[in-house]
Amino acid sequence: MRLRRTLMGLSQQSLGQALSLTFQQIQKYERGTNRIGAGRLMRIASALDVHPSYFFDDMPEEIAGKGAGRNHGAVPDLNYARRETLELVRVFSRIDSNDVRGQLLALMRVLGAVDTN
């Protein structure tokens, strides 16, 4: 939820207003403190312009394999959710040229393979 909200450039406040919720409630959903019911998940998906299945893509096996009622802890903080990564994805998605995006991706692959030690 946080990833999609941030990619869309929405604050917790603005998403909360769109859903008639407080930003604190959005925070609790994003941290995994509060569960999201099916009806609310449908409204959130609509507000974020995604299909509800979006929230289950790439779900970690340790969470996906658990039955209802057994996941009481917060969702783990995944690397892709870091602020810098979100900003990079947001800026990258604004580049219109396929060639430029391809060149940047190639550069990032090279930089990612460089040993910084």
Side-chain angles (χ1 to χ4, degrees):
M1 187 171 137
R2 176 178 46 188
L3 175 64
R4 180 64 182 169
R5 176 185 58 77
T6 306
L7 287 174
M8 292 182 70
L10 296 174
S11 67
Q12 290 176 334
Q13 181 74 34
S14 60
L15 179 59
Q17 287 175 346
L19 297 168
S20 299
L21 299 170
T22 64
F23 79 91
Q24 292 96 338
Q25 186 62 44
I26 300 298
Q27 281 180 332
K28 290 177 182 181
Y29 287 151
E30 290 182 354
R31 291 180 182 160
T33 304
N34 287 2
R35 295 175 188 220
I36 303 173
R40 177 73 42 91
L41 183 64
M42 294 293 290
R43 290 181 53 217
I44 292 169
S46 178
L48 295 175
D49 197 28
V50 292
H51 190 274
S53 66
Y54 169 86
F55 299 110
F56 302 100
D57 292 344
D58 299 326
M59 182 181 285
E61 285 296 320
E62 64 270 13
I63 294 173
K66 293 185 177 191
R70 287 191 250 165
N71 184 21
H72 296 291
V75 175
D77 188 20
L78 304 173
N79 285 337
Y80 67 80
R82 289 191 304 206
R83 183 171 303 277
E84 298 89 1
T85 306
L86 294 173
E87 181 66 18
L88 180 64
V89 171
R90 185 183 307 129
V91 171
F92 185 84
S93 68
R94 292 182 191 149
I95 298 171
D96 291 329
S97 170
N98 288 336
D99 290 336
V100 172
R101 279 196 315 272
Q103 291 171 358
L104 281 172
L105 184 57
L107 174 64
M108 300 215 28
R109 285 182 176 140
V110 169
L111 292 173
V114 172
D115 186 8
T116 58
N117 292 330

